[in-house]
Amino acid sequence: GDFWAMVGGMTPANVPMPAPFFGRVLIDSASSIPLVFGTFAANPGTVPVSVPNAVAFRGLRYLVQGYTLVGATNVLTAQNSVTLFVRT
């Protein structure tokens, strides 16, 4: 089957995926963590984000990037990333 995953981290990067894969790694892989993964046959995945109401988190940026893996070809593709910005 085909799979998807989302990773998150606080440090941006811009590194090409090694051949034969596609896309660019936009989050530093040394400090990123896996958030959620699944198959395309399953229900959509969600990632709840709870932010405590504290001034210390004001201005915090957190990056999330998706990846897809086509099972038939074993091709991994990095997708776009989004930035979560905390405004308290």
Side-chain angles (χ1 to χ4, degrees):
D2 299 333
F3 303 91
W4 56 268
M6 293 175 65
V7 300
M10 298 180 72
T11 307
N14 192 353
V15 180
M17 294 281 286
F21 306 125
F22 300 99
R24 300 186 73 78
V25 177
L26 300 174
I27 302 172
D28 178 38
S29 59
S31 61
S32 65
I33 60 168
L35 299 174
V36 65
F37 58 91
T39 66
F40 284 107
N43 291 332
T46 60
V47 179
V49 178
S50 299
V51 179
N53 188 14
V55 171
F57 293 105
R58 180 178 293 154
L60 177 74
R61 293 179 187 271
Y62 193 73
L63 305 161
V64 178
Q65 183 172 13
Y67 292 85
T68 58
L69 174 68
V70 177
T73 60
N74 282 332
V75 173
L76 180 67
T77 303
Q79 306 299 324
N80 292 336
S81 68
V82 297
T83 302
L84 306 176
F85 179 71
V86 179
R87 293 175 48 186
T88 59

